[in-house]
Every structure is written in structure tokens, then in C-alpha cells.
Amino acid sequence: MRRIRVGIGGNGTVRIKLKKKRLERAETAERGGAPPAPAAGGPGISLSHPIISQMEIRVESVFRPKEPDVEVVYALTGFGGSVDRLHKFASNEVVAHATPEMVSYVAEKMVEHIRAERAEMPNLIVHVHSHPLGAPALSDVDKETMPRVAARIREVVPDATVLFGVHAVGSEERRPREPPERVSENKVRWSSITRTHEVAFFDEDADPVEVRIDG
């Protein structure tokens, strides 16, 4: 797992600095078996196939030929436990800087952009960052930082359910496309024709959050 250093300045800027290792491959789930049993209680989210396609496009869109892959920050929003929109945060107001080693963003500006893009403020906000050539796992620093990021978001949206996702992306290699599947309580996995994708979801206390695929 990559080590990540995170700092939150007085203006709400979150800086994540990481040291990369090669992709840590999770065990392949047995094909054709029954999906894992849902967790008892706790929040859960549902992702549709169109939303998953947008997640794939968002992460792959920043890759450039012969250049290192960089970190991406995006958000999923909706109501209750259902995600119905992805927010890209292409503006420098939100993501100030991104390299293979560091990404800087402003949590409050994320919420402002979400509010501008939706007619009604959602009560479900899922903060997602990518791990190029990494694993969909939280570092100790992630775990320490998530409650503070959630608190920043709730300063603007007091009643919001704030969750977190880690979107791991494999190296570029031509491969067959594989449809999304749930491979554990909180993880979904699929493959584009060039990259593998695996996303894990957590609450602000770093506990796994059940994910479902609709349709």
C-alpha cells in the first residue's frame, strides 16, 4: 500500500502526498458465485451502470501518453443511498495541483460546485480519489483525515451523509472489457479495454460501506 501524507490548512485546502508502489492485486473473486452477504445495518450506496461508466471516463480522461498517471478527485452525489450524479471538479478552484505524488483540493469549494450543478442540494456526498497503479485501500493518514474532511463538508451541508471512495486503476494494457461486479461488501471491480478499475467505499470512521450495483 502506498504511504499518503495529508495536511489541511486553515483555508480548508487538503494536500495528499503519496509514495507509489506497483499495483497490489486483490484476489480474484470466484466467477459465478453468489455475491457477498450485505452488512447488517449501516449506510449503503447503489451505483448504476451509467454512473460506473462516468467514473471510468473521469479517471482515464486525465491520462496522457508517455506521462505519469496523476491523482484524480471527484464526487458522487444523490439522495438516500442512491447515487445519481458524478462531479468532475475540473476547476482550479477545487483541485489546485495534481501530480503522481500529490493532489491538492479545497473541500468547501467541492461543495460549492456540487450546489451549482444541482437544482437541490443532495444529502449523500461521496468523496472519491484515485490511486494510479495502487490498491483501493486506506492509509493510516487517510483514516485520520476523513473525519476532518467530512466535518468541513458538513459545515456547509449539516445533514449530509459523507462517505469516501478509493478508486484504484491498473496500468495501461489492451484487455477484454469486463462488466462491473461486486467482489466484496464494499468493493466493485470492472475493466475497460485498457485498464482495470476497483473502487472501495468507506464511512468517515474507515468502516466498509456496502455497495450495490443497480441493473
Side-chain angles (χ1 to χ4, degrees):
M1 185 189 308
R2 294 176 301 170
R3 292 187 297 169
I4 303 177
R5 298 178 181 176
V6 182
I8 300 181
N11 62 355
T13 302
V14 181
R15 294 181 175 85
I16 302 178
K17 188 171 184 180
L18 48 88
K19 294 185 179 180
K20 295 172 61 178
K21 289 187 178 181
R22 299 297 296 175
L23 176 65
E24 299 177 16
R25 305 217 178 248
E27 286 187 19
T28 302
E30 183 179 352
R31 306 291 178 181
I45 61 172
S46 296
L47 303 176
S48 66
H49 283 267
I51 288 292
I52 292 174
S53 294
Q54 292 178 44
M55 294 163 64
E56 172 186 311
I57 292 169
R58 175 65 189 116
V59 171
E60 294 192 5
S61 68
V62 301
F63 299 149
R64 298 292 182 267
K66 300 180 181 179
E67 293 184 11
D69 297 342
V70 299
E71 291 282 318
V72 178
V73 175
Y74 65 90
L76 305 171
T77 63
F79 296 89
S82 181
V83 171
D84 61 14
R85 185 151 190 163
L86 181 143
H87 304 267
K88 297 187 299 183
F89 303 133
S91 171
N92 288 335
E93 291 181 353
V94 179
V95 181
H97 190 57
T99 72
E101 289 77 32
M102 184 181 70
V103 60
S104 301
Y105 64 92
V106 182
E108 290 89 341
K109 292 292 184 180
M110 291 174 58
V111 180
E112 289 181 15
H113 276 244
I114 290 170
R115 174 183 286 145
E117 290 183 336
R118 302 202 61 132
E120 181 181 356
M121 196 65 190
N123 58 23
L124 171 65
I125 299 175
V126 186
H127 173 285
V128 186
H129 72 279
S130 67
H131 280 184
L133 305 183
L138 298 170
S139 71
D140 289 340
V141 178
D142 281 327
K143 296 173 185 178
E144 293 172 1
T145 304
M146 291 190 303
R148 286 180 280 166
V149 174
R152 294 274 188 179
I153 294 173
R154 289 202 191 93
E155 287 176 2
V156 185
V157 192
D159 298 328
T161 296
V162 182
L163 304 177
F164 295 84
V166 181
H167 187 153
V169 192
S171 59
E172 187 172 28
E173 179 183 350
R174 193 63 178 266
R175 66 186 74 238
R177 175 173 285 279
E178 296 181 0
E181 64 174 341
R182 192 176 78 161
V183 295
S184 69
E185 171 195 343
N186 70 322
K187 293 180 187 177
V188 294
R189 181 189 299 154
W190 73 95
S191 177
S192 70
I193 62 170
T194 56
R195 301 199 183 241
T196 58
H197 294 256
E198 188 170 2
V199 188
F201 295 93
F202 307 88
D203 64 18
E204 64 191 87
D205 298 317
D207 292 324
V209 171
E210 181 194 356
V211 59
R212 300 173 293 275
I213 300 173
D214 291 338

